Amino acid sequence: MFLVKKRNLLLSGLLVSGLAASAQKTPKKYLQQYEPIAVNLMKETGVPASVILGVAMLESGMGTSRNARLLKNHFGIVGKNSLAKKGGTYRSVYREFASDSASYRQFVKLIMKRRWYADLKGNEDYKAWLGKLIHSGYSSAGQVWVNRVSGMIRRYKLYELDDELKLAKQ
């Protein structure tokens, strides 16, 4: 009886540590895949890569959400999709993109349409960008959303990607 409990405890411990290890790989894998896209968009538009990636990581669950997997939508952008035509049971109000990078590009286009974009273009202060995004109605979660995205940016040191904006100003 004691050996059975000990074995079960050991197996559950291995399972938990295995899940934790796979969860830790997800951010690295996500960043490896999408960091180049965010940095290129930053260079083209002046929107900090930290903001682009921080929002994408939160909104897509690091690429694991259904919308990210099925619709290639990493930002919760509302629009048309073809899920009904595909016969699936999952329904969504979110837009479908041809590629993940198209989703990233659309997010930046949405930002560039805002009146305040010109004032912030090239500014590496991610907090200012998030504040403007929330005030323009990007998320209904308000300050909670800002705190979560800021947490992503700090946790994964995404602000380091914005150094190129500083160099471009000099």
Side-chain angles (χ1 to χ4, degrees), residues 165-170:
L165 282 175
K166 291 177 192 173
L167 295 174
K169 284 183 183 178
Q170 296 173 352

Side-chain angles (χ1 to χ4, degrees), residues 5-148:
K5 284 184 181 181
K6 191 173 183 177
R7 184 190 70 187
N8 288 343
L9 184 61
L10 178 63
L11 288 175
S12 61
L14 288 172
L15 178 64
V16 168
S17 65
L19 290 173
S22 68
Q24 289 173 352
K25 289 180 186 176
T26 303
K28 280 185 180 180
K29 187 176 177 182
Y30 191 86
L31 288 171
Q32 285 174 345
Q33 188 169 359
Y34 298 109
E35 184 179 308
I37 296 168
V39 169
N40 285 335
L41 286 169
M42 175 182 69
K43 289 176 183 176
E44 289 175 26
T45 65
V47 177
S50 63
V51 171
I52 299 168
L53 275 171
V55 172
M57 291 171 80
L58 178 69
E59 296 290 337
S60 73
M62 312 252 189
T64 62
S65 73
R66 281 186 177 180
N67 288 332
R69 288 182 288 113
L70 299 175
L71 302 173
K72 296 179 176 39
N73 187 334
H74 292 254
F75 297 91
I77 298 170
V78 176
K80 294 182 180 179
N81 65 62
S82 63
L83 288 177
K85 293 177 186 173
K86 294 176 184 175
T89 57
Y90 178 63
R91 300 285 185 251
S92 178
V93 298
Y94 296 101
R95 181 173 167 186
E96 183 172 19
F97 290 93
S99 66
D100 296 306
S101 61
S103 171
Y104 273 73
R105 192 161 291 284
Q106 183 61 36
F107 173 71
V108 172
K109 281 183 184 177
L110 289 172
I111 291 176
M112 292 172 65
K113 290 179 183 178
R114 305 293 184 188
R115 271 186 264 146
W116 48 263
Y117 165 72
D119 294 336
L120 282 181
K121 183 179 179 182
N123 184 340
E124 70 275 358
D125 180 11
Y126 68 86
K127 293 175 187 173
W129 285 90
L130 295 176
K132 291 291 186 179
L133 272 170
I134 207 66
H135 286 300
S136 63
Y138 183 77
S139 173
S140 60
Q143 192 59 41
V144 172
W145 180 84
V146 170
N147 292 342
R148 288 180 179 165

